[in-house]
Each structure stands twice: as structure tokens, then as C-alpha cells.
Amino acid sequence: MKRLIVVFICFIALIAAITTMVSAMTAEEIINRRDENEYIKVAKVEAEMVIINGRRKMSKNMLTFIEEDNSLTIFTNARDRGTKFLKRDDDLWMFFPEAEDIVKISGHMLNQGMMGSDFSYQDMMESDKLTDLYDFAIIGEEELNGRQCYVLEGVALDGKEVSYYRRKSWIDKERFIGLKEELYAKSERLLKVMNVKRVEQIDGRWYPVESVMENKLRKKTRTEFVIKSIKFNPKIPAGTFTLQNMQ
């Protein structure tokens, strides 16, 4: 009888081991599943950005068109109405309606906060898939806000220009969506933390619709980014991503 119990325990252990082997995912597979949800090829997005600095709170609304490596953002709230950002490949321009002037944003300006927010202009520039920018490894598993997550660490690939040398990501094990990210400089200094507050299933894919970015180099600030609506793969009018269209 004792021998039979030992054989049974070994059988259960073997089944568990096989199940683990079958279900285990590599870091690349996890990031690819995340990219399938979060990477945008073509989209039209209406969003609100709420900048909180101490007791001061500013709300900015925007409409964004995205197509491959190009995007056009048009601010629609009264104070910033007509302000536009145009990204084409690795270049970024801003149009100020009051000055009626187009300014190219480059160099150190890319690290500044976009419209005073905790998102930098460089954050806008990174439209590539994460697998094209970072080499990821699984460093653990944790529960975050009631969701079981893979914890991955990504280090920038050689030759890639990225805002953050290292990023630590908490990825929902069931929905394959990033729920939290810690963003680090090459010096290991923590620069920013982003937490996703709400995700929705849209057109069969999970997507973050409400998130909060905190810049750890600033005090008492955070920026909430809320997507009001998003339409994937809409028809983008010809000429949308031209400098002439900014004026």
C-alpha cells in the first residue's frame, strides 16, 4: 500500500511538472502578447490629460490621429485650442496658434514635460513595439491590485535610442496588459512610475484607458491620462501628417 501511495504521488508530481512546462511562457512571448494588445498601428483617439501639481489642477483635451510612425495631436480645450504636435518618424514639431509658428522640438527639449505634464516629448516619440527596443527577462510573479502579474525587466537594446535605459513591468497574466511600469535611467535612478487604473476590452483587445504617470524627479506632481474614445484602424484623411496641415 505504501509503495502504491509513493507511485501515486510521483505521478501527480510528474503531471504538475508537465503542466508547468506546457504553460510556461518566455519573456518574449509575454511581451509579444502585450504588444498585440497595446501596440497601435492606426487609430483615432480622444483623450483628456489632467496635470496635478500640488493643489493646482489643469485639464487638457486632445484629439490624436496615429498611422504607423506618424501622429498628429490637436488640443481642443479652450486654453490650448489649436495647439498641435506632429510626429513623423523620428522628428517632432509643435504649432503655437497665437504665434502662428511651427517649432521643431529636438535635443534636450525632448526630455521636458509635454505641456507641463509628467509625460515628456520623448515619451510621445516612442511608438515602436517594446520587443523592438528592449531585451526582456522574467524576474518574478506578483499580485498587483488583485491581478496576478508577470514581472519583467527590459534593458535597452544596443543602438536603440530610448527614454529609459531600463524598465520594470508588471503584466497581467490573464489579459496581457501592462498594469505598472517603473522607468529607470542608466545610472539606476528611478525616473518615473506609471500605474494603469482601468483597462477595457475594445475590438477584441485589452487596452489601458486610464493611467497615472508620476515623475520622480518632480515633487507633488502627477498626470492622469484618460482615453475617452479610441477607434482602431479608421480611415485617416490624406495629408493629415504634413506640416501644411498644422497651420
Side-chain angles (χ1 to χ4, degrees):
M1 184 65 182
K2 185 176 181 181
R3 178 181 175 82
L4 186 62
I5 291 174
V6 171
V7 171
F8 179 73
I9 291 174
C10 290
F11 176 74
I12 294 298
L14 178 62
I15 293 298
I18 292 173
T19 302
T20 301
M21 290 173 64
V22 170
S23 62
M25 296 183 70
T26 66
E28 184 178 5
E29 288 171 333
I30 294 167
I31 292 298
N32 279 332
R33 291 287 300 273
R34 178 182 174 178
D35 276 341
E36 288 173 5
N37 277 322
E38 298 186 36
Y39 176 71
I40 292 178
K41 195 170 183 180
V42 183
K44 178 181 177 182
V45 184
E46 291 184 61
E48 179 183 18
M49 187 166 65
V50 181
I51 304 166
I52 299 159
N53 189 343
R55 295 181 179 179
R56 191 179 178 196
K57 192 173 183 179
M58 292 184 295
S59 177
K60 299 177 184 293
N61 298 312
M62 66 195 78
L63 173 64
T64 299
F65 298 91
I66 302 168
E67 188 174 69
E68 304 290 350
D69 291 330
N70 304 325
S71 67
L72 174 70
T73 296
I74 306 167
F75 283 81
T76 57
N77 57 292
R79 181 173 180 177
D80 306 295
R81 190 181 304 279
T83 300
K84 300 177 183 178
F85 288 91
L86 173 66
K87 174 187 176 297
R88 288 198 316 208
D89 298 320
D90 295 328
D91 295 317
L92 181 67
W93 292 271
M94 180 179 184
F95 173 72
F96 299 95
E98 291 185 1
E100 296 185 349
D101 193 16
I102 297 175
V103 176
K104 187 172 183 179
I105 300 174
S106 59
H108 70 279
M109 292 175 64
L110 289 170
N111 294 322
Q112 296 179 2
M114 175 188 173
M115 303 289 280
S117 74
D118 293 273
F119 293 93
S120 69
Y121 295 107
Q122 188 68 45
D123 290 333
M124 291 180 63
M125 299 293 288
E126 290 185 358
S127 56
D128 294 332
K129 291 183 177 180
L130 288 171
T131 45
D132 294 335
L133 301 174
Y134 294 89
D135 180 26
F136 279 94
I138 301 172
I139 60 173
E141 297 181 6
E142 290 181 13
E143 182 179 313
L144 179 67
N145 299 328
R147 305 292 306 184
Q148 295 298 318
C149 294
Y150 295 109
V151 184
L152 274 66
E153 181 182 73
V155 177
L157 293 168
D158 289 341
K160 293 292 183 182
E161 291 189 10
V162 294
S163 304
Y164 312 103
Y165 177 74
R166 187 168 67 88
R167 58 199 310 153
K168 186 176 177 183
S169 304
W170 283 254
I171 299 173
D172 191 313
K173 294 180 69 172
E174 181 182 0
R175 300 176 295 185
F176 292 95
I177 194 86
L179 297 181
K180 179 181 177 182
E181 285 215 293
E182 293 179 352
L183 305 166
Y184 294 85
K186 196 170 185 178
S187 63
E188 295 297 312
R189 185 172 188 178
L190 177 61
L191 299 176
K192 295 182 182 179
V193 176
M194 186 171 73
N195 282 286
V196 171
K197 298 298 184 184
R198 185 163 59 92
V199 302
E200 287 186 3
Q201 194 167 30
I202 304 169
D203 293 344
R205 60 197 279 184
W206 290 102
Y207 199 80
V209 295
E210 187 173 341
S211 55
V212 178
M213 178 72 92
E214 294 179 80
N215 186 338
K216 294 301 181 181
L217 303 183
R218 304 168 66 187
K219 294 182 178 179
K220 299 180 180 178
T221 73
R222 69 179 190 276
T223 299
E224 300 170 358
F225 189 80
V226 181
I227 291 178
K228 302 291 187 181
S229 72
I230 182 167
K231 185 174 183 180
F232 296 111
N233 302 313
K235 178 69 176 177
I236 304 292
T240 296
F241 307 108
T242 62
L243 290 173
Q244 292 79 6
N245 190 42
M246 293 189 76
Q247 296 179 315

